[in-house]
Amino acid sequence: MGKKREVQEINASSMADIAFLLLIFFLVTTSMATDKGLLRVLPAPMPKDQEIVDDNVKIKERNILQILVNSNDELMVNGQPMEISKLREKAKEFIVNPSNSEELPEKEIINVDYYGNVGVTKSHVISLLNDRGTSYQVYLSVQNELVAAYNELRDEMCKKKLSMSLEDLASSKDEKDKDKYDVLTKKVYPMKISEAEPKSYGKEGGN
Amino acid sequence: MAKFRKGGGRKLGAISTASLPDIVFMLLFFFMTTTTMKEVTLKVDQKMPEATELTKMEKKSLVKYLYIGTPKKEFRKAFGTGSRIQLDDAFANDPSEVEEYISRQRASMKEADQGQMIVSLKIDKDTKMGIITDVKQALRNAYALKISYTATQKVNNY
């Protein structure tokens, strides 16, 4: 081998400056990924040529939980004024019908995989009607309470029958768990929130 | 009593800055991985509503955004103070424009993903439901049925 040549060291003192420059660029452009939202599915549009049939007539009164929100952001549930904070309990009672009451939806016992015999109120419907003047925050709070009611019920069922929380079940990668989750959300406690076409009762502010 | 030492005290050695680049690089990588470029410049003022039952948007490529709020100060002269819809970088004049916007967005997606599109509605919490209802109808007509109401996590449960 030849003589060992001395390799000159690269001056690295400007490295910090370069890194700082990049750092500042990313600091400025960054926005933490905080996009969270309440997921909902809209109903498919009605065919235009179809006659509008008032199908509310066919549903028995005991199977409907009617929620009205007026332009003053006040709530009316089945004809009774109510606070938003009480809506969750009311919805849960309505969905489950624990006492098998005549006033609440018809209950029937079905046998499903994983969960055994469970009582479900198949034909219950939560109907939500808001005014054009309702504020978005209140509308979302009502939606949130209803979704929360379903989620709490599902969670209770999960803990009772599978001894795991809903969160664990939903995030599980296991195929069987996914199936269990599907059965729970589609057969045991399917979400039935229907939104009626809005009507304008009060004056619409703002716009 | 302590005495002040006058002058000629111990000399402080210079702090070595050799590890500074490493520290900065560490920060740099952190921000590089967490960063997401802003999709559009917001032209409307928004304060998100609060809710508890939130789901995180997993796949960013499936999510399309739609903004509603009152125009920012510099646009108020031209657009007024009422709630407006912002699509991409421009204001929409009418909720029916949403339909066209959605079909344009859908066309720009991969074919396999088109059915899974989620429309994220970023709406100011004081907006009246009237305009939102119109937008929802437009979304229905455009068959963009999966929607997400963007909100911030409520901390305490009343």
Side-chain angles (χ1 to χ4, degrees), chain A residues 17-34:
Chain A
D17 302 355
I18 297 165
F20 261 123
L21 217 72
L22 282 167
L23 176 62
I24 289 163
F25 171 71
F26 278 102
L27 262 169
V28 171
T29 54
T30 201
S31 58
M32 294 289 169
T34 50

Side-chain angles (χ1 to χ4, degrees), chain A residues 110-118 120 183-184 187-188:
Chain A
I110 58 162
N111 192 305
V112 287
D113 297 342
Y114 310 116
Y115 302 94
N117 289 327
V118 284
V120 291
V183 170
L184 182 64
K187 288 196 181 139
V188 184

Side-chain angles (χ1 to χ4, degrees), chain A residues 164-181:
Chain A
M164 67 197 288
S165 75
L166 184 69
E167 220 171 306
D168 292 340
L169 187 68
S171 58
S172 172
K173 292 274 185 285
D174 190 38
E175 279 301 317
K176 214 169 178 187
D177 282 346
K178 274 182 190 163
D179 200 31
K180 283 177 188 170
Y181 182 74

Side-chain angles (χ1 to χ4, degrees), chain A residues 126-145:
Chain A
I126 297 175
S127 153
L128 179 59
L129 180 61
N130 62 271
D131 190 90
R132 288 184 72 90
T134 307
S135 84
Y136 179 56
Q137 170 70 67
V138 171
Y139 169 79
L140 197 70
S141 304
V142 170
Q143 289 257 5
N144 187 55
E145 288 307 302

Side-chain angles (χ1 to χ4, degrees), chain B residues 38-118:
Chain B
K38 258 189 207 158
E39 311 94 28
V40 288
T41 25
L42 267 184
K43 285 187 169 180
V44 290
D45 282 325
Q46 291 188 314
K47 256 191 182 158
M48 290 297 150
E50 290 181 326
T52 54
E53 310 297 308
L54 300 178
T55 324
K56 216 172 168 187
M57 298 288 121
E58 297 288 355
K59 280 188 189 161
K60 280 268 152 74
S61 58
L62 299 179
V63 184
K64 298 294 164 197
Y65 298 89
L66 203 152
Y67 309 86
I68 302 177
T70 50
K72 276 194 199 294
K73 246 186 198 150
E74 57 265 39
F75 302 108
R76 283 202 192 137
K77 232 177 196 170
F79 295 99
T81 52
S83 297
R84 302 285 296 215
I85 307 164
Q86 187 190 344
L87 306 170
D88 277 337
D89 276 329
F91 286 112
N93 296 314
D94 194 83
S96 59
E97 282 176 38
V98 172
E99 261 174 77
E100 196 215 342
Y101 168 77
I102 293 296
S103 51
R104 220 179 325 127
Q105 291 293 326
R106 189 178 279 141
S108 72
M109 289 169 82
K110 268 188 262 160
E111 214 171 335
D113 290 344
Q114 286 180 0
Q116 296 170 291
M117 181 169 75
I118 299 172

Side-chain angles (χ1 to χ4, degrees), chain A residues 37 42 132 134 136 139 195 198, chain B residues 55 127 129-130 133 136 145 149:
Chain A
L42 295 172
R132 288 184 72 90
T134 307
Y136 179 56
Y139 169 79
E195 285 178 65
Chain B
T55 324
T127 310
M129 280 310 290
T133 309
K136 272 163 65 186
L145 302 180
Y149 300 107

